[in-house]
Amino acid sequence: MYSDKTITLNNGIKMPQIQLGTWLINNDDVRKTIRQAIEVGYRAFDTAKDYGNETGVGKGIWNSDVERSDIFLTTKLPTAVKDYEGTKKAIDDALDRFSLEYIDMMLIHSPQPWIEVNRTNDRHFEGNLENWRAMEEAVKAGKIRAIGVSNFLEEDVDNIVKNGSIKPAVNQIEVHIGKVPKELMDYCQQLGILIEAYSPLSHGRLLNERKVREYAKKYKVSAAQLMLAFDLQLGCVVLPKSDNISEMKDNLAVNFKISAEDMAELIKLKEKVLTLSV
């Protein structure tokens, strides 16, 4: 089962291939969600400063019966921070919020501050290198075990790879049936950079789509399980988000393979076309 499967980063560290995303779960509720997720078998969690729930995630980990060393925790820098000193402070602040001695992986959340996304062409190459320099130092200091990026295009990844001393471990991007950025994925994978798929269930948009339901019925699985299996077979780490125990269990119980022929057909599907057939 994929729930038991780990994947190895380019620095040799292993992490679970199915992780729980925590976006839009508020700080008060996420503590209970983390504890319940650990009880049903999750051992890896993804959060971010901009989610506003790091403190609750940390408390959920602390209050579990699982050893800290058995948990893989990822968080992300605030997107507004694009300088060296600000990054150093952001890392230390994150450790304080989690009340943990180290973070398993930290990502640059976006090459641009949110306020600039889709509004300017400035990719903040220098600012991202300042982020990276401070993150590399944090790795050497034992504060972070692995570092990576999120929402980075090829030019953004290239900037880090050519100018940094540590290669990004992952690039966290949106990947799901109907949205497969193959060129970017191939580029990263050729460099040994894993793809982490956020929104692998397309924010729920495609779970009732006719073709997705047809393939799910063929494999006798839920639509969510089909979509997760699709990303997993593309070699992605998946980050399904849920605060519902039944859904958490369902998302973790992916234990089948989609045929090569069906994968090829699913890869061809486009989200705009799919949403017309719901």
Side-chain angles (χ1 to χ4, degrees):
M1 289 180 64
Y2 278 103
S3 59
D4 303 319
K5 187 174 181 180
T6 60
I7 197 161
T8 304
L9 301 174
N10 55 24
N11 63 357
I13 291 174
K14 294 182 178 181
M15 68 177 183
Q17 197 168 0
I18 300 179
Q19 307 185 15
L20 187 77
T22 64
W23 181 52
L24 295 182
I25 304 177
N26 69 51
N27 200 51
D28 293 330
D29 294 337
V30 76
R31 176 179 178 178
K32 178 181 178 182
T33 300
I34 295 294
R35 188 172 68 251
Q36 291 174 330
I38 289 174
E39 289 175 357
V40 302
Y42 286 85
R43 293 296 180 267
F45 304 95
D46 179 86
T47 183
K49 171 61 172 64
D50 290 352
Y51 296 174
N53 61 13
E54 287 179 323
T55 301
V57 170
K59 288 180 178 178
I61 293 171
W62 267 111
N63 293 336
S64 74
D65 295 326
V66 176
E67 293 292 330
R68 168 68 183 96
S69 58
D70 293 330
I71 299 292
F72 195 96
L73 174 64
T74 298
T75 193
K76 309 173 193 74
L77 292 174
T79 64
V81 174
K82 291 296 176 188
D83 65 283
Y84 171 76
E85 292 296 336
T87 305
K88 288 177 62 177
K89 184 178 185 303
I91 292 168
D92 289 338
D93 287 348
L95 288 166
D96 287 342
R97 283 190 295 274
F98 286 123
S99 295
L100 297 174
E101 293 183 355
Y102 66 90
I103 294 165
D104 294 283
M105 182 151 62
M106 180 167 277
L107 311 180
I108 301 176
H109 201 159
S110 170
Q112 300 169 297
W114 292 137
I115 196 172
E116 294 183 28
V117 174
N118 298 324
R119 296 181 181 180
T120 74
N121 293 322
D122 185 359
R123 303 306 293 180
H124 291 270
F125 290 138
E126 291 302 319
N128 289 322
L129 291 179
E130 291 293 284
N131 289 152
W132 201 251
R133 180 162 66 97
M135 291 163 69
E136 287 182 335
E137 290 181 1
V139 171
K140 294 171 185 176
K143 296 178 179 180
I144 304 171
R145 299 177 67 213
I147 52 179
V149 297
S150 180
N151 296 299
F152 271 45
L153 302 179
E154 184 172 328
E155 60 187 318
D156 306 310
V157 175
D158 187 61
N159 177 49
I160 299 294
V161 170
K162 287 184 176 178
N163 296 292
S165 59
I166 297 176
K167 186 184 296 183
V170 305
N171 187 11
Q172 188 179 117
I173 58 176
E174 185 175 358
V175 182
H176 52 74
I177 292 173
K179 186 179 180 68
V180 181
K182 193 172 186 307
E183 288 186 8
L184 176 58
M185 292 173 69
D186 288 346
Y187 169 77
C188 290
Q189 290 168 338
Q190 288 168 6
L191 289 171
I193 299 170
L194 283 173
I195 298 297
E196 285 194 335
Y198 69 73
S199 303
L201 304 181
S202 69
H203 304 287
R205 288 190 299 268
L206 302 180
L207 293 179
N208 292 315
E209 191 280 325
R210 179 177 55 81
K211 284 188 175 293
V212 172
R213 293 200 309 268
E214 287 175 357
Y215 279 105
K217 183 177 181 180
K218 175 179 179 178
Y219 288 95
K220 299 179 181 179
V221 298
S222 69
Q225 287 174 326
L226 178 83
M227 294 189 74
L228 292 175
F230 175 79
D231 277 9
L232 290 165
Q233 285 181 228
L234 290 176
C236 300
V237 172
V238 294
L239 310 169
K241 191 274 290 185
S242 179
D243 56 3
N244 178 284
I245 293 178
S246 178
E247 290 178 352
M248 284 193 274
K249 289 180 179 179
D250 190 45
N251 293 343
L252 203 59
V254 179
N255 56 3
F256 70 101
K257 292 284 188 179
I258 300 170
S259 72
E261 294 78 12
D262 288 345
M263 281 293 293
E265 290 303 312
L266 287 167
I267 288 172
K268 294 177 185 177
L269 299 178
K270 301 301 181 184
E271 186 169 9
K272 287 184 178 180
V273 175
L274 284 169
T275 53
L276 294 176
S277 64
V278 172

